[in-house]
């Protein structure tokens, strides 16, 4: 019985910790947004908050987007997933403000550690990467590869899962 009571106390403490962390991130983001609205200079720590905020959204949005991407275009089955994305966007109201600021910032302004953080999130579809970001993609991902043969200028080989030859006349 005492062990059950201790477990309840432990679970309650863990729940409070998770809620406090989530609220802390939101309040930090709001503080940074206030600095943006006042036109104050942002610090490297402020950029970390911006990038983490945008990155956490992108991480949560990616599985939903993957479900949409796996459906044919205009498939009505995508509607619930689009609704989930809309709801998720509502939970992150500062995305547009932070995207604008990050797009205008140089890599030097955000700092080397934050450049690495941007690069970490840059591969997510919903992370708005600035022009200087390094976007790492999966080299093993399926796709279409075009190769021009060196000995035959009349043909092009399109290689994907199955090779397809197209003759140009």
């Amino acid at each position: 019985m005492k062990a059950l009571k201790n477990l309840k106390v432990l679970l309650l403490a863990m729940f409070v910790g998770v809620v406090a962390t989530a609220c802390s991130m939101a309040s930090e983001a709001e503080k940074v947004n206030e600095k943006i609205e006042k036109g104050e200079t942002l610090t490297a720590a402020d950029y970390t908050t911006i990038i983490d905020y945008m990155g956490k959204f992108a991480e949560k949005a990616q599985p939903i987007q993957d479900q949409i991407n796996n459906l044919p275009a205009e498939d009505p089955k995508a509607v619930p997933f689009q609704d989930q994305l809309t709801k998720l966007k509502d939970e992150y109201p500062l995305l547009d403000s932070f995207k604008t600021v990050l797009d205008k910032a140089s890599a030097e302004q955000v700092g080397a550690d934050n450049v690495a953080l941007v690069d970490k999130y840059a591969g997510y579809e919903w992370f708005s990467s600035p022009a200087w970001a390094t976007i790492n993609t999966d080299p093993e991902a399926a796709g279409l590869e075009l190769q021009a043969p060196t000995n035959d200028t009349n043909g092009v080989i399109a290689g994907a899962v199955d090779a397809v030859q197209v003759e140009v006349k």
Side-chain angles (χ1 to χ4, degrees), residues 40-80:
E40 296 177 13
T41 303
L42 299 178
T43 65
D46 295 333
Y47 282 110
T48 301
T49 299
I50 288 170
I51 297 163
D52 276 337
Y53 183 90
M54 294 172 62
K56 297 301 179 205
F57 168 78
E59 284 179 331
K60 291 178 182 178
Q62 192 62 53
I64 301 167
Q65 187 63 51
D66 289 344
Q67 292 292 326
I68 294 170
N69 293 347
N70 288 329
L71 295 170
E74 309 294 325
D75 191 323
K77 293 178 188 171
V79 172

Side-chain angles (χ1 to χ4, degrees), residues 79-92:
V79 172
F81 298 117
Q82 292 164 339
D83 291 344
Q84 288 178 26
L85 274 176
T86 299
K87 185 178 177 182
L88 184 61
K89 286 179 195 174
D90 290 344
E91 295 174 22
Y92 288 82

